[in-house]
mmCIF file with all atom_site columns, all heavy atoms in Angstrom:
data_model
loop_
_atom_site.group_PDB
_atom_site.id
_atom_site.type_symbol
_atom_site.label_atom_id
_atom_site.label_alt_id
_atom_site.label_comp_id
_atom_site.label_asym_id
_atom_site.label_entity_id
_atom_site.label_seq_id
_atom_site.pdbx_PDB_ins_code
_atom_site.Cartn_x
_atom_site.Cartn_y
_atom_site.Cartn_z
_atom_site.occupancy
_atom_site.B_iso_or_equiv
_atom_site.pdbx_formal_charge
_atom_site.auth_seq_id
_atom_site.auth_comp_id
_atom_site.auth_asym_id
_atom_site.auth_atom_id
_atom_site.pdbx_PDB_model_num
ATOM 1   N N   . SER A 1 1  ? 113.140 94.316 114.840 1.00 0.00 ? 106 SER A N   1
ATOM 2   C CA  . SER A 1 1  ? 112.465 95.411 115.505 1.00 0.00 ? 106 SER A CA  1
ATOM 3   C C   . SER A 1 1  ? 111.181 95.042 116.203 1.00 0.00 ? 106 SER A C   1
ATOM 4   O O   . SER A 1 1  ? 110.523 95.884 116.768 1.00 0.00 ? 106 SER A O   1
ATOM 5   C CB  . SER A 1 1  ? 112.235 96.591 114.541 1.00 0.00 ? 106 SER A CB  1
ATOM 6   O OG  . SER A 1 1  ? 111.235 96.222 113.579 1.00 0.00 ? 106 SER A OG  1
ATOM 7   N N   . THR A 1 2  ? 110.836 93.761 116.104 1.00 0.00 ? 107 THR A N   1
ATOM 8   C CA  . THR A 1 2  ? 109.509 93.412 116.696 1.00 0.00 ? 107 THR A CA  1
ATOM 9   C C   . THR A 1 2  ? 109.524 93.291 118.211 1.00 0.00 ? 107 THR A C   1
ATOM 10  O O   . THR A 1 2  ? 110.577 93.109 118.831 1.00 0.00 ? 107 THR A O   1
ATOM 11  C CB  . THR A 1 2  ? 108.953 92.064 116.117 1.00 0.00 ? 107 THR A CB  1
ATOM 12  O OG1 . THR A 1 2  ? 109.968 91.073 116.298 1.00 0.00 ? 107 THR A OG1 1
ATOM 13  C CG2 . THR A 1 2  ? 108.652 92.193 114.679 1.00 0.00 ? 107 THR A CG2 1
ATOM 14  N N   . ASP A 1 3  ? 108.343 93.413 118.821 1.00 0.00 ? 108 ASP A N   1
ATOM 15  C CA  . ASP A 1 3  ? 108.194 93.354 120.283 1.00 0.00 ? 108 ASP A CA  1
ATOM 16  C C   . ASP A 1 3  ? 108.706 92.009 120.784 1.00 0.00 ? 108 ASP A C   1
ATOM 17  O O   . ASP A 1 3  ? 108.612 90.968 120.186 1.00 0.00 ? 108 ASP A O   1
ATOM 18  C CB  . ASP A 1 3  ? 106.722 93.481 120.592 1.00 0.00 ? 108 ASP A CB  1
ATOM 19  C CG  . ASP A 1 3  ? 106.440 93.776 122.043 1.00 0.00 ? 108 ASP A CG  1
ATOM 20  O OD1 . ASP A 1 3  ? 106.901 93.082 122.940 1.00 0.00 ? 108 ASP A OD1 1
ATOM 21  O OD2 . ASP A 1 3  ? 105.669 94.752 122.283 1.00 0.00 ? 108 ASP A OD2 1
ATOM 22  N N   . GLU A 1 4  ? 109.342 92.041 122.050 1.00 0.00 ? 109 GLU A N   1
ATOM 23  C CA  . GLU A 1 4  ? 109.874 90.826 122.645 1.00 0.00 ? 109 GLU A CA  1
ATOM 24  C C   . GLU A 1 4  ? 108.774 89.795 122.979 1.00 0.00 ? 109 GLU A C   1
ATOM 25  O O   . GLU A 1 4  ? 109.026 88.623 123.221 1.00 0.00 ? 109 GLU A O   1
ATOM 26  C CB  . GLU A 1 4  ? 110.658 91.194 123.932 1.00 0.00 ? 109 GLU A CB  1
ATOM 27  C CG  . GLU A 1 4  ? 111.945 91.914 123.618 1.00 0.00 ? 109 GLU A CG  1
ATOM 28  C CD  . GLU A 1 4  ? 112.772 92.179 124.865 1.00 0.00 ? 109 GLU A CD  1
ATOM 29  O OE1 . GLU A 1 4  ? 112.289 91.855 126.021 1.00 0.00 ? 109 GLU A OE1 1
ATOM 30  O OE2 . GLU A 1 4  ? 113.830 92.790 124.740 1.00 0.00 ? 109 GLU A OE2 1
ATOM 31  N N   . ALA A 1 5  ? 107.551 90.238 123.100 1.00 0.00 ? 110 ALA A N   1
ATOM 32  C CA  . ALA A 1 5  ? 106.445 89.352 123.438 1.00 0.00 ? 110 ALA A CA  1
ATOM 33  C C   . ALA A 1 5  ? 105.822 88.630 122.252 1.00 0.00 ? 110 ALA A C   1
ATOM 34  O O   . ALA A 1 5  ? 104.809 87.957 122.357 1.00 0.00 ? 110 ALA A O   1
ATOM 35  C CB  . ALA A 1 5  ? 105.308 90.170 124.182 1.00 0.00 ? 110 ALA A CB  1
ATOM 36  N N   . LEU A 1 6  ? 106.517 88.819 121.068 1.00 0.00 ? 111 LEU A N   1
ATOM 37  C CA  . LEU A 1 6  ? 105.973 88.209 119.845 1.00 0.00 ? 111 LEU A CA  1
ATOM 38  C C   . LEU A 1 6  ? 107.099 87.695 118.965 1.00 0.00 ? 111 LEU A C   1
ATOM 39  O O   . LEU A 1 6  ? 108.197 88.342 118.855 1.00 0.00 ? 111 LEU A O   1
ATOM 40  C CB  . LEU A 1 6  ? 105.228 89.364 119.071 1.00 0.00 ? 111 LEU A CB  1
ATOM 41  C CG  . LEU A 1 6  ? 104.524 88.969 117.852 1.00 0.00 ? 111 LEU A CG  1
ATOM 42  C CD1 . LEU A 1 6  ? 103.364 88.027 118.064 1.00 0.00 ? 111 LEU A CD1 1
ATOM 43  C CD2 . LEU A 1 6  ? 103.926 90.278 117.182 1.00 0.00 ? 111 LEU A CD2 1
ATOM 44  N N   . ASP A 1 7  ? 106.943 86.521 118.371 1.00 0.00 ? 112 ASP A N   1
ATOM 45  C CA  . ASP A 1 7  ? 107.857 85.969 117.410 1.00 0.00 ? 112 ASP A CA  1
ATOM 46  C C   . ASP A 1 7  ? 107.125 85.578 116.143 1.00 0.00 ? 112 ASP A C   1
ATOM 47  O O   . ASP A 1 7  ? 105.928 85.131 116.283 1.00 0.00 ? 112 ASP A O   1
ATOM 48  C CB  . ASP A 1 7  ? 108.605 84.692 117.981 1.00 0.00 ? 112 ASP A CB  1
ATOM 49  C CG  . ASP A 1 7  ? 109.639 85.086 119.004 1.00 0.00 ? 112 ASP A CG  1
ATOM 50  O OD1 . ASP A 1 7  ? 110.506 85.954 118.727 1.00 0.00 ? 112 ASP A OD1 1
ATOM 51  O OD2 . ASP A 1 7  ? 109.625 84.493 120.147 1.00 0.00 ? 112 ASP A OD2 1
ATOM 52  N N   . PHE A 1 8  ? 107.774 85.659 115.027 1.00 0.00 ? 113 PHE A N   1
ATOM 53  C CA  . PHE A 1 8  ? 107.153 85.205 113.762 1.00 0.00 ? 113 PHE A CA  1
ATOM 54  C C   . PHE A 1 8  ? 107.896 84.043 113.246 1.00 0.00 ? 113 PHE A C   1
ATOM 55  O O   . PHE A 1 8  ? 109.104 83.909 113.384 1.00 0.00 ? 113 PHE A O   1
ATOM 56  C CB  . PHE A 1 8  ? 107.167 86.349 112.763 1.00 0.00 ? 113 PHE A CB  1
ATOM 57  C CG  . PHE A 1 8  ? 106.171 87.468 113.062 1.00 0.00 ? 113 PHE A CG  1
ATOM 58  C CD1 . PHE A 1 8  ? 106.531 88.603 113.727 1.00 0.00 ? 113 PHE A CD1 1
ATOM 59  C CD2 . PHE A 1 8  ? 104.859 87.323 112.656 1.00 0.00 ? 113 PHE A CD2 1
ATOM 60  C CE1 . PHE A 1 8  ? 105.659 89.597 114.034 1.00 0.00 ? 113 PHE A CE1 1
ATOM 61  C CE2 . PHE A 1 8  ? 103.916 88.319 112.974 1.00 0.00 ? 113 PHE A CE2 1
ATOM 62  C CZ  . PHE A 1 8  ? 104.334 89.414 113.675 1.00 0.00 ? 113 PHE A CZ  1
ATOM 63  N N   . LEU A 1 9  ? 107.170 83.161 112.590 1.00 0.00 ? 114 LEU A N   1
ATOM 64  C CA  . LEU A 1 9  ? 107.695 81.922 111.979 1.00 0.00 ? 114 LEU A CA  1
ATOM 65  C C   . LEU A 1 9  ? 107.629 82.127 110.523 1.00 0.00 ? 114 LEU A C   1
ATOM 66  O O   . LEU A 1 9  ? 106.588 82.490 109.946 1.00 0.00 ? 114 LEU A O   1
ATOM 67  C CB  . LEU A 1 9  ? 106.846 80.742 112.406 1.00 0.00 ? 114 LEU A CB  1
ATOM 68  C CG  . LEU A 1 9  ? 107.098 79.344 111.704 1.00 0.00 ? 114 LEU A CG  1
ATOM 69  C CD1 . LEU A 1 9  ? 108.448 78.833 112.116 1.00 0.00 ? 114 LEU A CD1 1
ATOM 70  C CD2 . LEU A 1 9  ? 106.029 78.366 112.004 1.00 0.00 ? 114 LEU A CD2 1
ATOM 71  N N   . ASN A 1 10 ? 108.752 81.792 109.842 1.00 0.00 ? 115 ASN A N   1
ATOM 72  C CA  . ASN A 1 10 ? 108.797 81.932 108.383 1.00 0.00 ? 115 ASN A CA  1
ATOM 73  C C   . ASN A 1 10 ? 109.694 80.861 107.772 1.00 0.00 ? 115 ASN A C   1
ATOM 74  O O   . ASN A 1 10 ? 110.909 81.072 107.699 1.00 0.00 ? 115 ASN A O   1
ATOM 75  C CB  . ASN A 1 10 ? 109.246 83.338 108.008 1.00 0.00 ? 115 ASN A CB  1
ATOM 76  C CG  . ASN A 1 10 ? 109.185 83.568 106.453 1.00 0.00 ? 115 ASN A CG  1
ATOM 77  O OD1 . ASN A 1 10 ? 108.589 82.761 105.781 1.00 0.00 ? 115 ASN A OD1 1
ATOM 78  N ND2 . ASN A 1 10 ? 109.734 84.658 106.038 1.00 0.00 ? 115 ASN A ND2 1
ATOM 79  N N   . THR A 1 11 ? 109.144 79.749 107.354 1.00 0.00 ? 116 THR A N   1
ATOM 80  C CA  . THR A 1 11 ? 109.867 78.662 106.697 1.00 0.00 ? 116 THR A CA  1
ATOM 81  C C   . THR A 1 11 ? 109.186 78.429 105.340 1.00 0.00 ? 116 THR A C   1
ATOM 82  O O   . THR A 1 11 ? 108.057 78.881 105.171 1.00 0.00 ? 116 THR A O   1
ATOM 83  C CB  . THR A 1 11 ? 109.960 77.377 107.547 1.00 0.00 ? 116 THR A CB  1
ATOM 84  O OG1 . THR A 1 11 ? 108.662 76.765 107.553 1.00 0.00 ? 116 THR A OG1 1
ATOM 85  C CG2 . THR A 1 11 ? 110.344 77.656 108.997 1.00 0.00 ? 116 THR A CG2 1
ATOM 86  N N   . PRO A 1 12 ? 109.829 77.649 104.525 1.00 0.00 ? 117 PRO A N   1
ATOM 87  C CA  . PRO A 1 12 ? 109.133 77.363 103.206 1.00 0.00 ? 117 PRO A CA  1
ATOM 88  C C   . PRO A 1 12 ? 107.745 76.775 103.357 1.00 0.00 ? 117 PRO A C   1
ATOM 89  O O   . PRO A 1 12 ? 106.900 76.999 102.505 1.00 0.00 ? 117 PRO A O   1
ATOM 90  C CB  . PRO A 1 12 ? 110.132 76.424 102.473 1.00 0.00 ? 117 PRO A CB  1
ATOM 91  C CG  . PRO A 1 12 ? 111.430 76.753 103.059 1.00 0.00 ? 117 PRO A CG  1
ATOM 92  C CD  . PRO A 1 12 ? 111.197 77.119 104.510 1.00 0.00 ? 117 PRO A CD  1
ATOM 93  N N   . SER A 1 13 ? 107.592 75.938 104.392 1.00 0.00 ? 118 SER A N   1
ATOM 94  C CA  . SER A 1 13 ? 106.232 75.242 104.511 1.00 0.00 ? 118 SER A CA  1
ATOM 95  C C   . SER A 1 13 ? 105.344 75.752 105.645 1.00 0.00 ? 118 SER A C   1
ATOM 96  O O   . SER A 1 13 ? 104.147 75.509 105.636 1.00 0.00 ? 118 SER A O   1
ATOM 97  C CB  . SER A 1 13 ? 106.488 73.718 104.697 1.00 0.00 ? 118 SER A CB  1
ATOM 98  O OG  . SER A 1 13 ? 107.145 73.505 105.901 1.00 0.00 ? 118 SER A OG  1
ATOM 99  N N   . SER A 1 14 ? 105.887 76.537 106.572 1.00 0.00 ? 119 SER A N   1
ATOM 100 C CA  . SER A 1 14 ? 105.093 76.984 107.697 1.00 0.00 ? 119 SER A CA  1
ATOM 101 C C   . SER A 1 14 ? 105.357 78.508 107.938 1.00 0.00 ? 119 SER A C   1
ATOM 102 O O   . SER A 1 14 ? 106.499 78.911 107.974 1.00 0.00 ? 119 SER A O   1
ATOM 103 C CB  . SER A 1 14 ? 105.426 76.191 108.957 1.00 0.00 ? 119 SER A CB  1
ATOM 104 O OG  . SER A 1 14 ? 104.872 74.862 108.862 1.00 0.00 ? 119 SER A OG  1
ATOM 105 N N   . LYS A 1 15 ? 104.288 79.213 108.182 1.00 0.00 ? 120 LYS A N   1
ATOM 106 C CA  . LYS A 1 15 ? 104.346 80.610 108.555 1.00 0.00 ? 120 LYS A CA  1
ATOM 107 C C   . LYS A 1 15 ? 103.361 80.868 109.632 1.00 0.00 ? 120 LYS A C   1
ATOM 108 O O   . LYS A 1 15 ? 102.289 80.275 109.712 1.00 0.00 ? 120 LYS A O   1
ATOM 109 C CB  . LYS A 1 15 ? 104.115 81.505 107.304 1.00 0.00 ? 120 LYS A CB  1
ATOM 110 C CG  . LYS A 1 15 ? 105.193 81.353 106.221 1.00 0.00 ? 120 LYS A CG  1
ATOM 111 C CD  . LYS A 1 15 ? 104.862 82.119 105.039 1.00 0.00 ? 120 LYS A CD  1
ATOM 112 C CE  . LYS A 1 15 ? 106.016 82.074 104.000 1.00 0.00 ? 120 LYS A CE  1
ATOM 113 N NZ  . LYS A 1 15 ? 106.692 80.860 103.833 1.00 0.00 ? 120 LYS A NZ  1
ATOM 114 N N   . GLY A 1 16 ? 103.758 81.819 110.562 1.00 0.00 ? 121 GLY A N   1
ATOM 115 C CA  . GLY A 1 16 ? 102.860 82.096 111.640 1.00 0.00 ? 121 GLY A CA  1
ATOM 116 C C   . GLY A 1 16 ? 103.446 83.027 112.660 1.00 0.00 ? 121 GLY A C   1
ATOM 117 O O   . GLY A 1 16 ? 104.394 83.725 112.362 1.00 0.00 ? 121 GLY A O   1
ATOM 118 N N   . PHE A 1 17 ? 102.875 82.948 113.845 1.00 0.00 ? 122 PHE A N   1
ATOM 119 C CA  . PHE A 1 17 ? 103.408 83.829 114.935 1.00 0.00 ? 122 PHE A CA  1
ATOM 120 C C   . PHE A 1 17 ? 103.105 83.182 116.275 1.00 0.00 ? 122 PHE A C   1
ATOM 121 O O   . PHE A 1 17 ? 102.271 82.278 116.416 1.00 0.00 ? 122 PHE A O   1
ATOM 122 C CB  . PHE A 1 17 ? 102.761 85.256 114.876 1.00 0.00 ? 122 PHE A CB  1
ATOM 123 C CG  . PHE A 1 17 ? 101.222 85.255 115.026 1.00 0.00 ? 122 PHE A CG  1
ATOM 124 C CD1 . PHE A 1 17 ? 100.585 85.197 116.274 1.00 0.00 ? 122 PHE A CD1 1
ATOM 125 C CD2 . PHE A 1 17 ? 100.417 85.347 113.859 1.00 0.00 ? 122 PHE A CD2 1
ATOM 126 C CE1 . PHE A 1 17 ? 99.262  85.233 116.389 1.00 0.00 ? 122 PHE A CE1 1
ATOM 127 C CE2 . PHE A 1 17 ? 99.064  85.390 114.001 1.00 0.00 ? 122 PHE A CE2 1
ATOM 128 C CZ  . PHE A 1 17 ? 98.444  85.352 115.220 1.00 0.00 ? 122 PHE A CZ  1
ATOM 129 N N   . VAL A 1 18 ? 103.869 83.615 117.273 1.00 0.00 ? 123 VAL A N   1
ATOM 130 C CA  . VAL A 1 18 ? 103.684 83.189 118.669 1.00 0.00 ? 123 VAL A CA  1
ATOM 131 C C   . VAL A 1 18 ? 103.555 84.413 119.539 1.00 0.00 ? 123 VAL A C   1
ATOM 132 O O   . VAL A 1 18 ? 104.462 85.277 119.502 1.00 0.00 ? 123 VAL A O   1
ATOM 133 C CB  . VAL A 1 18 ? 104.877 82.287 119.166 1.00 0.00 ? 123 VAL A CB  1
ATOM 134 C CG1 . VAL A 1 18 ? 104.681 81.891 120.601 1.00 0.00 ? 123 VAL A CG1 1
ATOM 135 C CG2 . VAL A 1 18 ? 105.102 81.123 118.299 1.00 0.00 ? 123 VAL A CG2 1
ATOM 136 N N   . ILE A 1 19 ? 102.480 84.528 120.304 1.00 0.00 ? 124 ILE A N   1
ATOM 137 C CA  . ILE A 1 19 ? 102.376 85.600 121.286 1.00 0.00 ? 124 ILE A CA  1
ATOM 138 C C   . ILE A 1 19 ? 102.706 85.024 122.596 1.00 0.00 ? 124 ILE A C   1
ATOM 139 O O   . ILE A 1 19 ? 102.091 84.032 123.094 1.00 0.00 ? 124 ILE A O   1
ATOM 140 C CB  . ILE A 1 19 ? 100.904 86.155 121.349 1.00 0.00 ? 124 ILE A CB  1
ATOM 141 C CG1 . ILE A 1 19 ? 100.499 86.667 119.977 1.00 0.00 ? 124 ILE A CG1 1
ATOM 142 C CG2 . ILE A 1 19 ? 100.814 87.259 122.441 1.00 0.00 ? 124 ILE A CG2 1
ATOM 143 C CD1 . ILE A 1 19 ? 99.018  87.105 119.924 1.00 0.00 ? 124 ILE A CD1 1
ATOM 144 N N   . HIS A 1 20 ? 103.734 85.589 123.259 1.00 0.00 ? 125 HIS A N   1
ATOM 145 C CA  . HIS A 1 20 ? 104.167 85.118 124.639 1.00 0.00 ? 125 HIS A CA  1
ATOM 146 C C   . HIS A 1 20 ? 103.294 85.847 125.630 1.00 0.00 ? 125 HIS A C   1
ATOM 147 O O   . HIS A 1 20 ? 103.740 86.908 126.172 1.00 0.00 ? 125 HIS A O   1
ATOM 148 C CB  . HIS A 1 20 ? 105.640 85.356 124.790 1.00 0.00 ? 125 HIS A CB  1
ATOM 149 C CG  . HIS A 1 20 ? 106.511 84.747 123.778 1.00 0.00 ? 125 HIS A CG  1
ATOM 150 N ND1 . HIS A 1 20 ? 106.762 83.366 123.760 1.00 0.00 ? 125 HIS A ND1 1
ATOM 151 C CD2 . HIS A 1 20 ? 107.103 85.254 122.684 1.00 0.00 ? 125 HIS A CD2 1
ATOM 152 C CE1 . HIS A 1 20 ? 107.530 83.096 122.693 1.00 0.00 ? 125 HIS A CE1 1
ATOM 153 N NE2 . HIS A 1 20 ? 107.732 84.236 122.035 1.00 0.00 ? 125 HIS A NE2 1
ATOM 154 N N   . PHE A 1 21 ? 102.103 85.372 125.852 1.00 0.00 ? 126 PHE A N   1
ATOM 155 C CA  . PHE A 1 21 ? 101.188 86.050 126.766 1.00 0.00 ? 126 PHE A CA  1
ATOM 156 C C   . PHE A 1 21 ? 101.666 86.168 128.194 1.00 0.00 ? 126 PHE A C   1
ATOM 157 O O   . PHE A 1 21 ? 101.307 87.091 128.908 1.00 0.00 ? 126 PHE A O   1
ATOM 158 C CB  . PHE A 1 21 ? 99.791  85.364 126.792 1.00 0.00 ? 126 PHE A CB  1
ATOM 159 C CG  . PHE A 1 21 ? 98.860  85.799 125.714 1.00 0.00 ? 126 PHE A CG  1
ATOM 160 C CD1 . PHE A 1 21 ? 98.564  85.031 124.576 1.00 0.00 ? 126 PHE A CD1 1
ATOM 161 C CD2 . PHE A 1 21 ? 98.263  87.052 125.845 1.00 0.00 ? 126 PHE A CD2 1
ATOM 162 C CE1 . PHE A 1 21 ? 97.747  85.450 123.584 1.00 0.00 ? 126 PHE A CE1 1
ATOM 163 C CE2 . PHE A 1 21 ? 97.354  87.501 124.839 1.00 0.00 ? 126 PHE A CE2 1
ATOM 164 C CZ  . PHE A 1 21 ? 97.100  86.687 123.725 1.00 0.00 ? 126 PHE A CZ  1
ATOM 165 N N   . SER A 1 22 ? 102.619 85.315 128.545 1.00 0.00 ? 127 SER A N   1
ATOM 166 C CA  . SER A 1 22 ? 103.201 85.365 129.916 1.00 0.00 ? 127 SER A CA  1
ATOM 167 C C   . SER A 1 22 ? 104.038 86.610 130.073 1.00 0.00 ? 127 SER A C   1
ATOM 168 O O   . SER A 1 22 ? 104.276 87.059 131.175 1.00 0.00 ? 127 SER A O   1
ATOM 169 C CB  . SER A 1 22 ? 104.082 84.136 130.136 1.00 0.00 ? 127 SER A CB  1
ATOM 170 O OG  . SER A 1 22 ? 105.096 84.033 129.189 1.00 0.00 ? 127 SER A OG  1
ATOM 171 N N   . GLU A 1 23 ? 104.379 87.279 128.965 1.00 0.00 ? 128 GLU A N   1
ATOM 172 C CA  . GLU A 1 23 ? 105.177 88.564 129.003 1.00 0.00 ? 128 GLU A CA  1
ATOM 173 C C   . GLU A 1 23 ? 104.306 89.756 128.718 1.00 0.00 ? 128 GLU A C   1
ATOM 174 O O   . GLU A 1 23 ? 104.837 90.869 128.516 1.00 0.00 ? 128 GLU A O   1
ATOM 175 C CB  . GLU A 1 23 ? 106.284 88.471 127.988 1.00 0.00 ? 128 GLU A CB  1
ATOM 176 C CG  . GLU A 1 23 ? 107.326 87.299 128.316 1.00 0.00 ? 128 GLU A CG  1
ATOM 177 C CD  . GLU A 1 23 ? 108.425 87.217 127.240 1.00 0.00 ? 128 GLU A CD  1
ATOM 178 O OE1 . GLU A 1 23 ? 108.646 88.231 126.546 1.00 0.00 ? 128 GLU A OE1 1
ATOM 179 O OE2 . GLU A 1 23 ? 109.010 86.150 127.143 1.00 0.00 ? 128 GLU A OE2 1
ATOM 180 N N   . THR A 1 24 ? 103.020 89.601 128.681 1.00 0.00 ? 129 THR A N   1
ATOM 181 C CA  . THR A 1 24 ? 102.103 90.714 128.420 1.00 0.00 ? 129 THR A CA  1
ATOM 182 C C   . THR A 1 24 ? 101.216 90.940 129.689 1.00 0.00 ? 129 THR A C   1
ATOM 183 O O   . THR A 1 24 ? 101.196 90.105 130.556 1.00 0.00 ? 129 THR A O   1
ATOM 184 C CB  . THR A 1 24 ? 101.203 90.508 127.225 1.00 0.00 ? 129 THR A CB  1
ATOM 185 O OG1 . THR A 1 24 ? 100.296 89.474 127.520 1.00 0.00 ? 129 THR A OG1 1
ATOM 186 C CG2 . THR A 1 24 ? 102.048 90.071 126.024 1.00 0.00 ? 129 THR A CG2 1
#
């Protein structure tokens, strides 16, 4: 359900997010 301009990363060793500023 998250915004298309944002992705979240969730692996056992890395967690985070990516903001696609080109789409904002």
Side-chain angles (χ1 to χ4, degrees):
S106 68
T107 55
D108 196 307
E109 290 182 0
L111 184 65
D112 285 309
F113 287 95
L114 170 69
N115 186 10
T116 72
S118 62
S119 289
K120 293 176 174 42
F122 59 83
V123 180
I124 301 174
H125 304 284
F126 272 106
S127 57
E128 298 177 21
T129 71

